[in-house]
Amino acid sequence: MGATAIRRHRLATRVWHWLNAVAVIVLIGSGLGISNAHPRLYWGRYGANFDHAWAQLPRFPAWLTIPASYNLAISRRWHLFFALVLAFSLLGYLFVSLLNRHIQRDLRLRRRDLAPAHIVADVRAHLDLRFHDPEAPGEYNVLQKLSYVAVIFVLLPLVILTGLALSPGMDAAWPWLLELFGGRQSARSLHFLAMAGLALFTVVHLTLVILAGVGNELRSMITGWWRVPE
């Protein structure tokens, strides 16, 4: 591959990345279709048409929803199937990444990473469109670590657990889930907020991929090899 190419992503990371990408896109689209059926969010155990809602969501356009035409039953089928893809692929990724020490080696946040001066320097480097350390090009920078840790260990588990809390079958088997989130409507609100966080991450992630060089970034996530920019 040449002296300027490094092995950046292991097979497990690449497989999970693409499974997760498809699952998240379908889940967001089908979730917005489900939201159109009742675009109001509440806190607590109950919420209906005449109850006070903390948020009134817009009606999402057809080009954002799955399916494009409003169909609550089909949106739910897409949503439930890809929720399983999301949950089991995350479980498999975490298991393999602990075994091969990817999490401990690449995502562990050290004290120096969280030093204010270090974070400010990394933000400035991103604003200057410098996304890697020339002295250690294979390492993740602190903003990557923070965002990946937030997604893998906070947003994805939250969206999965709140999704389970919205299932009547799971509530019967695990009644503590609803108690954990303070009721079905609170779980629904948290589910939507976690989804919004994942959508924001996706937009920022794709923007940075474009700025860093689409071809190089795609090659690294398909083959594992990343060519170090000069």
Side-chain angles (χ1 to χ4, degrees):
M1 294 295 294
T4 58
I6 61 174
R7 188 78 168 176
R8 198 178 196 190
H9 301 298
R10 296 186 178 221
L11 178 61
T13 300
R14 304 198 310 269
V15 171
W16 177 71
H17 173 273
W18 293 113
L19 282 174
N20 191 63
V22 173
V24 167
I25 290 172
V26 175
L27 285 167
I28 290 175
S30 57
L32 295 182
I34 294 170
S35 173
N36 281 345
H38 188 78
R40 292 160 63 86
L41 296 174
Y42 312 88
W43 291 115
R45 298 179 181 277
Y46 310 105
N49 291 340
F50 298 106
D51 293 324
H52 174 71
W54 71 268
Q56 173 71 48
L57 303 175
R59 182 170 183 83
F60 296 101
W63 61 271
L64 275 178
T65 65
I66 297 175
S69 59
Y70 173 71
N71 190 313
L72 180 59
I74 293 179
S75 290
R76 282 177 170 171
R77 290 175 187 173
W78 280 98
H79 206 72
L80 292 174
F81 177 79
F82 278 92
L84 294 174
V85 175
L86 182 79
F88 284 107
S89 65
L90 175 63
L91 186 63
Y93 167 75
L94 289 174
F95 178 74
V96 174
S97 295
L98 285 171
L99 287 181
N100 65 23
R101 302 190 62 79
H102 166 56
I103 290 175
Q104 302 93 312
R105 182 183 61 255
D106 299 322
L107 299 182
R108 181 164 63 95
L109 287 162
R110 299 169 176 82
R111 181 174 297 179
R112 63 180 174 82
D113 291 329
L114 300 176
H118 189 84
I119 294 176
V120 170
D122 203 33
V123 170
R124 287 176 177 170
H126 275 71
L127 292 176
D128 291 336
L129 304 184
R130 292 183 287 110
F131 303 117
H132 73 281
D133 182 353
E135 296 181 2
E139 292 186 5
Y140 292 172
N141 59 59
V142 65
L143 294 184
Q144 285 177 310
K145 289 182 179 181
L146 288 171
S147 58
Y148 293 157
V149 166
V151 167
I152 294 170
F153 297 105
V154 179
L155 290 180
L156 286 175
L158 181 60
V159 82
I160 291 168
L161 289 174
T162 52
L164 290 174
L166 296 176
S167 165
M170 295 308 300
D171 293 342
W174 298 344
W176 54 268
L177 265 178
L178 280 181
E179 298 299 325
L180 177 66
F181 296 111
R184 182 179 301 279
Q185 294 305 322
S186 293
R188 183 169 176 263
S189 292
L190 290 170
H191 191 72
F192 184 87
L193 291 172
M195 180 277 295
L198 288 173
L200 177 62
F201 169 82
T202 301
V203 171
V204 173
H205 177 67
L206 292 176
T207 301
L208 292 176
V209 165
I210 293 171
L211 293 175
V214 176
N216 197 22
E217 298 299 319
L218 279 179
R219 183 194 307 113
S220 71
M221 196 49 74
I222 293 173
T223 68
W225 290 96
W226 181 69
R227 200 169 290 278
V228 180
E230 296 180 1

